[in-house]
Amino acid sequence: MDQTLYGGIEAGGTKFVCAVGTGEGEILRETRFPTRDPEETLRKAISFFNEQLGENPLQAIGIGSFGPLDLNPSSPTYGYITTTPKTNWSNTDLVGEVEKTLGLPVSIDTDVNAAALGEHRWGAAKGLETFIYLTIGTGIGGGGMVKGQLLHGLIHPEMGHIPLPHDVGQDSFEGACSYHGDCFEGLASGSAIAKRWGQSPESLPPDHPAWSLEAKYIGYALAVYVYVLSPERIILGGGVMRQKELFPLIRAELKQVLQGYVRSDAILVDNDDYIVPPKLGDQAGVLGAIAMAKVGLEGGTGISQHARAH
Amino acid sequence: MDQTLYGGIEAGGTKFVCAVGTGEGEILRETRFPTRDPEETLRKAISFFNEQLGENPLQAIGIGSFGPLDLNPSSPTYGYITTTPKTNWSNTDLVGEVEKTLGLPVSIDTDVNAAALGEHRWGAAKGLETFIYLTIGTGIGGGGMVKGQLLHGLIHPEMGHIPLPHDVGQDSFEGACSYHGDCFEGLASGSAIAKRWGQSPESLPPDHPAWSLEAKYIGYALAVYVYVLSPERIILGGGVMRQKELFPLIRAELKQVLQGYVRSDAILVDNDDYIVPPKLGDQAGVLGAIAMAKVGLEGGTGISQHARAH
């Protein structure tokens, strides 16, 4: 058993989750608080970890953060949140702040890649090589692995912002994304649902027409991911997906969009096991951040860790 | 210098290219012929290689084929073209036929993954880890690598079939894909262009409105790939892309769709080097198939090669 301790930060647009855990995925302490401005929020996170340091020192910190992030280790703004519609958070030096104040090695990746890593270690993606983790909450983001490597490239995926078919005759809502209007996030995020129907997703009953429309856009998006990446499984997390009635609707929509073109029983015959909720529930992100802290120390899986001197 | 000889087959929906080459990417002999029914076409390919066998024996054959393909080595239909709109080609045992008649080890992947491998070895993707090769011809297909591994998953990507925004008020064409109507391929393939405008793409002058519409759909699709995979470069090949005027139009459209959300100079400042033609021209596919034959023997890069006994 690996009882070495690591810190994990899930830096979400709505809330922060900080936890101390073992390399085996056991969480010993956890705290959650709403995301305010960077200064106040990071101070809270740091004091949570500082309280632990006296007892059993942490080896490293992993951060899974909302983005876009600069994940290029050779860039002067490595570890920064770069551009974000989230007020005050543009150009925030996440890694630098945490490294400086805690004096520990810090690994960072997107919140969704962190959750993907968590699910791969201990959850619904165990044993898979190529899969997607999508979160549909206030915003929409996606991460995942291809052949066991977390998805990065020029930067990192921003799967929530794909353009989708939008029949304005059927659905006149102009979209809620401040960058793209009616991209996937603009049409189907929790914020989009709230704006479109004038009430929060949680308050909409299961038989509300919001859900079939939601499933339609999610079905389109999943078809895109299937065509581009051919994942072995798609994990759907985030606040909006707490509406469990969405799962069967989405599975049906995906089949409908694919029209039998992708010949796989996993999709065509029984896709209950193809489109699934996260097994780690709302701890996927922070557990993934802990896994990332560990992997960052050991190297591998494409986690970027800064070689900055302390 | 690796002077061992390999055979490569680019099995395209319109034409077959067969070549004998070295492991260094030098082509010694090549033949091209139109794709007819499977029996006649494969016979031609096989007799091309049979003519070589007396002189300097080939070590292996690589096939880059149109699809969808079954690439799962443990499947009873491994190496088959499965479902395809192409008449008579559904359920064709490509690998089995070539293996049986030539008595050589055969590796197979999609035509676009083959071309991607060729460009990675000797062309426009040299030194890159994550990139896309897209062919826009009679049909549209995409392949590529993520962190140096060819893209596969549940099956393999079918990037041409992504759903895209389609404003029927602006563009009333119903699409030409027999499975999906107005998916990307249905709106923007060479066949779609021919059907929409009533003339072949080659006969349309550079100032024809077809090209700005074409660039618009390609721009949407590239935005999708950028958001899902974050490629370091996108290589655009295929017959339609012989219209070189498309490149600047597509680069502008991609910027327009992304709306500055993906903060990378490679896209925002100067994307001439981001969206490029294949360096190997119309030999990318067959050179990739030759590389695949070699890699298949050696293992690695995710090429599937059948362990069937001869």
Side-chain angles (χ1 to χ4, degrees):
Chain A
M1 293 289 285
D2 180 359
Q3 288 300 326
T4 317
L5 295 189
Y6 304 91
I9 303 176
E10 184 191 349
T14 315
K15 65 170 194 304
F16 262 55
V17 186
C18 298
V20 170
T22 68
E24 304 285 333
E26 194 194 344
I27 288 184
L28 306 183
R29 286 190 197 187
E30 186 186 293
T31 182
R32 291 170 181 248
F33 46 88
T35 308
R36 310 273 189 226
D37 67 66
E39 209 175 305
E40 178 191 336
T41 314
L42 289 178
R43 194 171 48 229
K44 271 198 181 174
I46 283 158
S47 60
F48 168 79
F49 291 112
N50 263 329
E51 285 168 25
Q52 317 298 320
L53 287 179
E55 311 166 17
N56 189 345
L58 306 179
Q59 295 306 304
I61 302 279
I63 306 177
S65 177
F66 71 94
L69 301 172
D70 182 344
L71 297 179
N72 174 4
S74 63
S75 157
T77 55
Y78 166 82
Y80 278 58
I81 294 176
T82 56
T83 52
T84 170
K86 191 152 177 67
T87 327
N88 296 327
W89 280 86
S90 282
N91 290 311
T92 298
D93 181 10
L94 268 187
V95 166
E97 269 303 301
V98 175
E99 249 181 7
K100 197 177 64 191
T101 46
L102 290 177
L104 289 171
V106 176
S107 299
I108 189 165
D109 209 322
T110 60
D111 45 3
V112 279
N113 264 351
L117 182 64
E119 290 290 327
H120 188 251
R121 282 289 151 108
W122 303 299
K126 230 171 147 170
L128 300 184
E129 290 217 296
T130 301
F131 69 95
I132 283 175
Y133 177 96
L134 195 74
T135 179
I136 305 175
T138 316
I140 299 182
M145 285 183 170
V146 168
K147 298 199 177 159
Q149 296 282 314
L150 287 168
L151 270 170
H152 301 110
L154 183 68
I155 306 177
H156 53 72
E158 282 289 349
M159 296 193 196
H161 291 274
I162 54 172
L164 286 187
H166 175 202
D167 180 347
V168 291
Q170 297 273 325
D171 170 26
S172 63
F173 180 61
E174 74 279 10
C177 173
S178 60
Y179 281 85
H180 313 108
D182 64 350
C183 66
F184 179 31
E185 175 169 303
L187 290 169
S189 67
S191 321
I193 296 174
K195 195 169 169 196
R196 183 199 301 267
W197 303 100
Q199 53 183 121
S200 72
E202 306 87 67
S203 69
L204 293 165
D207 59 350
H208 193 281
W211 300 117
S212 57
L213 189 65
E214 181 71 7
K216 190 178 142 178
Y217 290 122
I218 298 174
Y220 275 133
L222 300 199
V224 165
Y225 308 142
V226 166
Y227 283 133
V228 178
L229 277 173
S230 201
E232 297 163 284
R233 185 167 290 150
I234 297 174
I235 305 171
L236 297 181
V240 170
M241 293 309 303
R242 291 211 189 96
Q243 182 60 259
K244 292 298 172 212
E245 284 80 2
L246 271 174
F247 281 90
L249 298 176
I250 291 167
R251 291 176 187 129
E253 288 290 343
L254 175 62
K255 271 198 206 182
Q256 174 65 27
V257 180
L258 294 178
Q259 285 290 315
Y261 192 72
V262 176
R263 286 285 160 117
S264 164
D265 287 353
I267 291 173
L268 293 177
V269 180
D270 176 11
N271 60 12
D272 286 11
D273 203 40
Y274 189 70
I275 299 170
V276 300
K279 250 199 187 149
L280 306 177
D282 62 359
Q283 287 191 318
V286 78
L287 275 169
I290 287 170
M292 205 193 304
K294 188 184 174 194
V295 174
L297 276 189
E298 294 163 355
T301 322
I303 307 281
S304 79
Q305 195 208 308
H306 211 185
R308 211 182 285 179
H310 299 289
Chain B
M1 291 291 286
D2 179 1
Q3 288 299 329
T4 318
L5 296 189
Y6 304 89
I9 302 176
E10 183 192 349
T14 313
K15 66 170 192 307
F16 262 54
V17 186
C18 298
V20 169
T22 67
E24 304 285 333
E26 194 195 345
I27 288 184
L28 305 184
R29 288 192 196 187
E30 186 186 293
T31 182
R32 292 170 181 245
F33 46 88
T35 308
R36 309 273 189 223
D37 66 67
E39 209 174 306
E40 177 191 338
T41 315
L42 289 178
R43 196 173 46 228
K44 270 198 181 173
I46 284 159
S47 59
F48 168 78
F49 291 112
N50 263 330
E51 286 168 24
Q52 318 298 319
L53 287 179
E55 312 165 18
N56 188 346
L58 307 178
Q59 296 305 305
I61 302 280
I63 306 177
S65 177
F66 70 94
L69 300 173
D70 183 343
L71 297 178
N72 174 4
S74 62
S75 157
T77 55
Y78 166 81
Y80 278 57
I81 293 176
T82 57
T83 52
T84 169
K86 190 153 178 65
T87 326
N88 296 327
W89 280 87
S90 282
N91 291 310
T92 298
D93 181 10
L94 268 188
V95 166
E97 270 303 300
V98 176
E99 249 181 8
K100 198 177 63 189
T101 46
L102 289 177
L104 289 171
V106 176
S107 299
I108 190 165
D109 208 324
T110 59
D111 45 3
V112 279
N113 265 350
L117 181 63
E119 290 290 328
H120 188 251
R121 283 287 151 108
W122 303 299
K126 231 172 148 170
L128 300 184
E129 290 218 294
T130 301
F131 68 95
I132 283 175
Y133 177 96
L134 196 73
T135 178
I136 305 176
T138 316
I140 300 182
M145 285 183 169
V146 169
K147 298 199 176 159
Q149 296 282 313
L150 286 168
L151 268 170
H152 302 111
L154 182 68
I155 307 177
H156 53 73
E158 281 289 349
M159 296 191 195
H161 292 274
I162 55 171
L164 286 188
H166 174 202
D167 181 347
V168 290
Q170 296 273 326
D171 169 27
S172 62
F173 180 61
E174 74 279 9
C177 173
S178 60
Y179 281 85
H180 312 108
D182 63 351
C183 66
F184 178 32
E185 174 169 304
L187 291 169
S189 66
S191 320
I193 296 174
K195 195 170 169 193
R196 183 201 301 270
W197 303 100
Q199 53 184 120
S200 72
E202 306 86 67
S203 69
L204 293 165
D207 60 348
H208 193 282
W211 300 117
S212 58
L213 189 64
E214 181 70 9
K216 190 179 142 179
Y217 291 122
I218 298 174
Y220 275 134
L222 300 199
V224 165
Y225 308 141
V226 166
Y227 283 135
V228 177
L229 278 174
S230 201
E232 297 162 282
R233 184 168 293 151
I234 297 175
I235 304 170
L236 298 180
V240 171
M241 294 308 303
R242 291 212 190 95
Q243 183 59 258
K244 294 296 174 215
E245 284 80 1
L246 271 174
F247 281 91
L249 297 176
I250 291 167
R251 292 175 186 128
E253 287 290 343
L254 175 63
K255 271 197 204 179
Q256 173 65 26
V257 180
L258 295 177
Q259 286 289 315
Y261 191 73
V262 176
R263 286 285 159 119
S264 164
D265 287 354
I267 292 173
L268 293 178
V269 180
D270 176 11
N271 61 12
D272 285 11
D273 202 39
Y274 189 70
I275 299 170
V276 300
K279 251 198 187 150
L280 307 179
D282 61 0
Q283 286 190 319
V286 79
L287 275 169
I290 287 169
M292 205 193 303
K294 188 184 174 193
V295 174
L297 276 189
E298 294 163 355
T301 322
I303 307 281
S304 79
Q305 195 208 309
H306 210 187
R308 212 182 284 181
H310 299 291

